[in-house]
Amino acid sequence: LNDLSNQLIKQNKKVYKFSIGQSPFPIPSCIVTALRNAAAQKNYLPAQGLLPLRETIATYHNEKNKRHFPTEQKVTYSAKDVMIGPGTKELSFYLQLAYYGELVLHSPCWLSYIPQAKMLGRPIHIIRSKMKNSWKITPKYLQQYLELEGKDKPRILILNYPSNPTGVTYTSSELEALAAVLREYGVIVLSDEIYSSFTFNEAYGGYTTISQYYPEGTIILDGMSKCVGAGGYRLGYFVFPPNLQWLLQALKNCASETFTSVSAPIQHAAITAYDGHFENEEIKEYLERGKEVLRNVSTMCVDGLRSYNMEVVQPDGGFYVFPKFDETKKGQQLKAEIHDQDEQNTQIIVDRFFQRVLNESGAAVIPGHYFGTRASSLFFRLSYVDFDGEQALKNPSNKKLYDQILFGVESIGQYLNS
């Protein structure tokens, strides 16, 4: 879709790039300056990562937990618990490589988890969440699956919140209930918190994490691509609980024999992103304004989609919405076309349909089946970050800055109902 979008742009056609989840915001200037100052750092670094950076990240998570869970902080991290890698995508791949077990997902989920497991030959089990439950996995459905499979089976559950593609997150009580089930069955949890800094629904208090309720079994995954807009820096990290040091050691061995270490200048610059994170006025303002921008844009997006006869859950954070379009005119026509088709043929038909959507409406969105839903359910993911993030941070309430999103939603809405 991105290649086709660029081809259409070269033909001077209007394109709304709703398919890419890249941060719209510029990197804070303090981090850019830190990278410039670190340009001469040329030595190989330890496979686990630069020690001062690991210390800084551990302190960052301890401070974040202290601020959000002042009376119930149940885990304290140190540098030895942190592993630095070349982006969260590669780290999640290496975790599956190092841990031989079943991958448990709940759909819809980020589109790279499933292909990674297939590349490694790992078994996959998908628990299908429902729109009526705001796309959240429930303790009931989780326990039903785990009880069926038994307690002795090695498994990793990936829990991503705020979610890509739905934008929903969990309350502390919901995570606590899930933690009780996961602890009973000894499941390791990969808590993918890459969008957590942009949780803009105030009802969630800015941050929730299952690591507070299941510290011994939770590995946190985060990085610089969203919270400071530095996707191209390719720096992500794991934070392990102390009792899973054996798994961290296995990942260090993988790193040593493959990527060696993350770029030295990038690691030195990353210290600035996390050192004194909660006192750095530039980063504090950046995140607060960024959340305001995304809250405004997501609301405009949801209201627009609903006005065109699409059903969508209001996101709590992140960059995405996941609308269902089966009740639109073209949705009804597509349902008739795929009637009695198997899943493989349905996916082919739906993919061709969304290529027409792009060609005729200019809106590039990703079909829902790439996120683990059935193609026949007629969902798509829309990334609402196709706007000038630098200008938006200066004036988050200026809705004119989001016209690209508004016009794009109108274009796809009008097309689907024509």
Side-chain angles (χ1 to χ4, degrees), residues 308-325:
Y308 285 104
N309 209 26
M310 286 179 261
E311 189 178 0
V312 60
V313 175
Q314 179 75 44
D316 302 309
F319 299 167
Y320 315 101
V321 286
F322 198 64
K324 185 177 180 67
F325 68 99

Side-chain angles (χ1 to χ4, degrees), residues 5-74:
S5 298
N6 291 331
Q7 290 175 20
L8 292 173
I9 290 171
K10 288 179 181 179
Q11 297 168 16
N12 294 319
K13 293 185 178 180
K14 183 64 178 177
V15 173
Y16 304 97
K17 284 195 166 185
F18 293 154
S19 61
I20 301 176
Q22 181 166 276
S23 172
F25 306 122
I27 300 170
S29 61
C30 60
I31 299 172
V32 175
T33 299
L35 179 58
R36 187 180 298 118
N37 293 338
Q41 297 290 340
K42 69 178 186 67
N43 293 336
Y44 291 122
L45 296 178
Q48 188 172 347
L50 180 68
L51 179 58
L53 175 58
R54 291 189 286 117
E55 290 173 337
T56 300
I57 289 172
T59 300
Y60 162 72
H61 278 273
N62 291 335
E63 179 63 22
K64 184 158 64 169
N65 288 339
K66 187 184 301 182
R67 287 170 177 265
H68 291 280
F69 309 97
T71 61
E72 51 181 303
Q73 188 174 358
K74 297 178 181 177

Side-chain angles (χ1 to χ4, degrees), residues 81-107:
D81 303 317
V82 179
M83 170 85 187
I84 309 297
T88 57
K89 180 182 288 189
E90 191 151 344
L91 283 174
S92 66
F93 180 82
Y94 278 112
L95 179 63
Q96 294 181 66
L97 176 65
Y99 184 78
Y100 191 87
E102 181 177 72
L103 181 67
V104 183
L105 302 168
H106 73 97
S107 69

Side-chain angles (χ1 to χ4, degrees), residues 128-146:
R128 300 191 184 276
S129 54
K130 300 177 181 180
M131 180 180 265
K132 69 178 182 179
N133 293 329
S134 297
W135 296 121
K136 299 179 185 182
I137 189 173
T138 64
K140 176 183 175 182
Y141 287 123
L142 179 61
Q143 183 151 23
Q144 283 177 351
Y145 160 67
L146 295 174

Side-chain angles (χ1 to χ4, degrees), residues 256-297:
S256 179
E257 301 304 329
T258 53
F259 63 82
T260 305
S261 64
V262 174
S263 162
I266 295 296
Q267 290 201 57
H268 281 275
I271 295 172
T272 300
Y274 299 102
D275 187 21
H277 182 94
F278 300 100
E279 287 75 40
N280 185 316
E281 291 300 325
E282 181 183 3
I283 292 179
K284 281 171 60 179
E285 184 178 25
Y286 178 94
L287 292 174
E288 287 306 311
R289 285 176 172 261
K291 284 190 283 188
E292 183 181 353
V293 168
L294 294 170
R295 185 185 305 115
N296 292 339
V297 178

